[in-house]
């Protein structure tokens, strides 16, 4: 019975060691590829909806969004389009008005006399254009805008909102000028110099900026700015380069998020914003291509969100899963009562300015220093964390270390099991021949053959 138990223990040990080797190898393999970010991510909800809208056209669709279950939802105007959407694996919602009609409505609103304190955007989910007015809009202006909306059609919805629509001048780290305080957005480069991408309303070309830390050191000068119309600007670093950690945006408490690419957000997507006043905040994208009539002027093509913001957060980065999405423009409310915040899409700003995001040196596509490559990828396509070379990933104890330890432990267990087996065999061998040594006439340790002669030593 004792020998049977020993055999069971040995077999279980060998089986556990073999499983450990398999598990450890899998862990190491995953660690080796954990930081790789795919160049594109087809099949993601936002990408699926956008692709279907592009394929079916704006006359048969009215936008797309990410549903509560994570699936892409596409608004369609006919049965054939609905069947095409379902075949693609997305959910179809039949609506009365196409995107062409909705865009025509927003164009009519833009052509009407400008009313500061108003904003509008297409609400894909309800298939209507929502017009909002803050408390600064007079009853007369609101009435005149209401008549314009009534003339467009019943799918234009009018509503009053709390607070005041303002640019959030006054996150990402604070940057200071004579005109007030803003937040640094993303570090970008044109291949020769590095810049800060921030909001255009923060300051016109020629504005001198200082770091918001206690030292107040000179930071850079605005060399290009667009506001109103759009809301972005470039601040060239005084030293020409952004320095270490240029591909990371600060989120408070000494932490940051590495930015690996740029994209346009999707309606319904969860997003994060960092600002020097209110820190890290999150919310959902509620509309795209929004228009806001600030007191300083009208800005179009903005991303509308439920993320809160406060004065000083202007220019701060909007991102999700390591992908840059926008820079903070303005909104209403605050981070106590909530509100609506608008963002300048980062892809449009990069294209208009002829720059690209700074990337860490050594990243795929990178060069001798930070800032040599920054591909635009689909929302969510970039991996979280740092993208590093294979040797660095394998030698990082936080990634490959656990797998290597499992492999080492399994090899030790296998070696121990083999040693114990060999030791058992040696002991059995000794027991077998010790009996022969103790027989009469066997004092030299050799057994006698049947003819009486001693057997040769083997």
């Amino acid at each position: 019975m004792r020998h049977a138990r020993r055999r069971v223990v040995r077999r279980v040990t060998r089986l556990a060691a073999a499983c450990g080797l398999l598990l450890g190898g899998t862990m190491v393999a995953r660690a080796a590829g954990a930081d790789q970010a795919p160049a594109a991510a087809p099949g993601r909800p936002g990408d699926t909806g956008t692709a279907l809208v592009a394929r079916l056209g704006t006359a048969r669709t009215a936008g797309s969004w990410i549903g509560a279950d994570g699936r892409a939802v596409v608004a369609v105007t006919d049965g054939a389009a609905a069947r095409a959407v379902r075949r693609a694996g997305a959910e179809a919602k039949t609506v009365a008005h196409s995107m062409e009609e909705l865009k025509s409505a927003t164009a009519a609103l833009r052509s009407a006399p400008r009313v500061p304190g108003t904003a509008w955007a297409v609400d894909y989910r309800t298939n209507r254009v929502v017009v909002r007015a803050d408390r600064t809009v007079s009853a007369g202006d609101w009435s005149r805008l209401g008549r314009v909306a009534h003339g467009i059609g019943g799918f234009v919805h009018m509503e009053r909102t709390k607070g005041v629509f303002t640019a959030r001048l006054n996150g990402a780290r604070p940057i200071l000028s004579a005109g007030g305080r803003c937040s640094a957005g993303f570090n970008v480069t044109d291949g020769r110099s590095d810049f800060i991408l921030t909001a255009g309303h923060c300051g016109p070309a020629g504005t001198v900026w200082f770091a918001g830390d206690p030292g107040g050191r000179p930071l850079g000068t605005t060399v290009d700015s667009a506001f109103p119309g759009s809301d972005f600007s470039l601040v060239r670093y005084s030293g020409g380069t952004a320095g270490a950690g240029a591909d990371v945006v600060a989120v408070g408490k000494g932490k940051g998020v590495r930015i690996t690419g740029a994209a346009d957000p999707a309606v319904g997507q969860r997003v994060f914003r960092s600002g020097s006043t209110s820190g890290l905040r999150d919310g959902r994208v509620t509309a795209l291509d929004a228009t806001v009539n600030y007191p300083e002027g009208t800005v179009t093509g903005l991303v509308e969100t439920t993320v809160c913001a406060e004065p000083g957060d202007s220019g701060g980065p909007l991102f999700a899963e390591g992908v840059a999405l926008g820079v903070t423009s303005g909104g209403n409310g605050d981070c106590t009562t909530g509100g609506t915040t608008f963002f300048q899409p980062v892809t449009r700003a990069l294209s208009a300015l002829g720059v690209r995001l700074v990337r860490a040196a050594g990243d795929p596509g990178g060069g001798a220093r930070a800032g040599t490559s920054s591909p635009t990828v689909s929302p969510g396509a970039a991996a979280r964390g740092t993208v590093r070379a294979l040797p660095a990933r394998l030698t990082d104890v936080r990634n490959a270390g656990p797998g290597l330890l499992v492999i080492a432990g399994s090899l030790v267990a296998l070696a121990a099991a083999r040693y114990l087996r060999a030791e058992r065999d040696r002991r059995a061998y000794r027991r077998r021949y010790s009996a022969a040594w103790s027989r009469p006439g066997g004092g030299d340790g050799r057994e006698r053959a049947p003819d009486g002669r001693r057997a040769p030593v083997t």
Side-chain angles (χ1 to χ4, degrees):
M1 179 64 69
R2 182 174 61 185
H3 295 300
R5 286 199 299 269
R6 288 177 178 173
R7 285 195 298 271
V8 171
V9 170
R10 287 194 299 271
R11 290 174 181 172
V12 170
T13 301
R14 288 195 296 269
L15 179 60
C19 292
L21 286 173
L22 180 62
L23 175 61
T26 301
M27 292 171 68
V28 171
R30 287 183 176 179
D35 292 329
Q36 293 291 349
R44 294 179 186 274
D47 299 341
T48 301
T50 301
L52 285 169
V53 168
R55 178 160 64 89
L56 295 172
T58 55
R60 304 176 65 197
T61 62
S64 66
W65 62 94
I66 300 173
D69 59 356
R71 291 178 62 201
V73 183
V74 181
V76 297
T77 58
D78 61 68
R83 289 190 292 273
V85 168
R86 296 188 188 101
R87 283 196 300 269
E91 180 182 345
K93 179 180 179 180
T94 303
V95 296
H97 306 285
S98 69
M99 183 57 72
E100 288 185 353
E101 294 178 83
L102 298 173
K103 291 293 186 182
S104 176
T106 59
L109 289 168
R110 281 196 297 272
S111 64
R114 178 176 175 273
V115 179
T118 59
W120 54 79
V122 175
D123 187 336
Y124 296 166
R125 292 183 176 90
T126 61
N127 192 231
R128 60 186 183 180
V129 175
V130 179
V131 181
R132 298 184 179 92
D134 65 24
R135 58 181 172 80
T136 66
V137 177
S138 68
D141 284 340
W142 187 235
S143 177
R144 284 190 290 274
L145 192 59
R147 288 194 291 272
V148 173
H150 180 75
I152 296 171
F155 58 91
V156 179
H157 176 71
M158 306 279 289
E159 64 181 39
R160 285 277 190 174
T161 188
K162 297 179 180 179
V164 179
F165 288 125
T166 60
R168 293 317 199 185
L169 177 64
N170 172 356
R173 293 187 172 89
I175 52 177
L176 309 175
S177 75
R181 175 167 62 90
C182 274
S183 297
F186 301 100
N187 285 310
V188 299
T189 182
D190 62 2
R192 299 179 299 276
S193 300
D194 292 347
F195 309 83
I196 298 171
L197 176 64
T198 188
H201 69 263
C202 288
T207 302
V208 179
W209 295 94
F210 297 86
D213 55 28
R217 65 190 185 283
L219 187 63
T221 303
T222 300
V223 295
D224 199 344
S225 181
F227 181 80
S230 297
D231 196 0
F232 54 79
S233 65
L234 276 183
V235 177
R236 178 187 284 123
Y237 280 101
S238 298
T241 58
D247 59 333
V248 176
V249 295
V251 296
K253 298 181 180 179
K255 298 180 180 180
V257 173
R258 174 153 291 173
I259 300 301
T260 58
D264 291 318
V267 173
Q269 181 180 3
R270 187 187 184 196
V271 292
F272 297 83
R273 176 199 58 75
S274 183
S276 61
T277 300
S278 56
L280 183 66
R281 303 287 175 164
D282 73 301
R284 299 277 177 180
V285 176
T286 52
L288 305 176
D289 198 23
T291 297
V292 184
N293 293 296
Y294 295 125
E296 302 87 350
T298 300
V299 181
T300 62
L302 298 175
V303 178
E304 180 187 284
T305 74
T306 61
V307 187
C308 70
E310 297 182 355
D313 288 331
S314 281
L318 180 74
F319 55 90
E321 299 183 10
V323 177
L325 301 174
V327 292
T328 307
S329 176
N332 68 327
D334 53 40
C335 290
T336 300
T337 61
T340 300
T341 302
F342 301 93
F343 297 85
Q344 167 69 52
V346 73
T347 54
R348 298 183 189 180
L350 295 176
S351 177
L353 294 168
V355 294
R356 55 189 182 276
L357 291 172
V358 166
R359 293 287 298 276
D363 279 358
R369 69 169 186 86
T372 55
S373 176
S374 181
T376 298
V377 297
S378 302
R384 299 175 180 85
T386 305
V387 181
R388 296 166 295 166
L390 178 61
R393 296 196 299 271
L394 290 177
T395 54
D396 189 341
V397 295
R398 296 170 298 177
N399 292 335
L404 294 174
L405 287 176
V406 171
I407 292 175
S410 302
L411 291 174
V412 170
L414 282 175
R418 186 174 183 83
Y419 172 79
L420 294 175
R421 174 67 180 273
E423 185 64 23
R424 184 188 64 80
D425 291 342
R426 282 193 294 271
R427 290 178 180 176
Y429 180 84
R430 289 171 183 170
R431 286 196 300 272
R432 175 182 175 188
Y433 285 98
S434 64
W437 295 343
S438 62
R439 292 176 186 170
D444 60 358
R446 287 181 287 174
E447 299 183 32
R448 291 185 179 274
D451 60 2
R453 293 178 295 177
R454 289 177 178 154
V457 178
T458 60

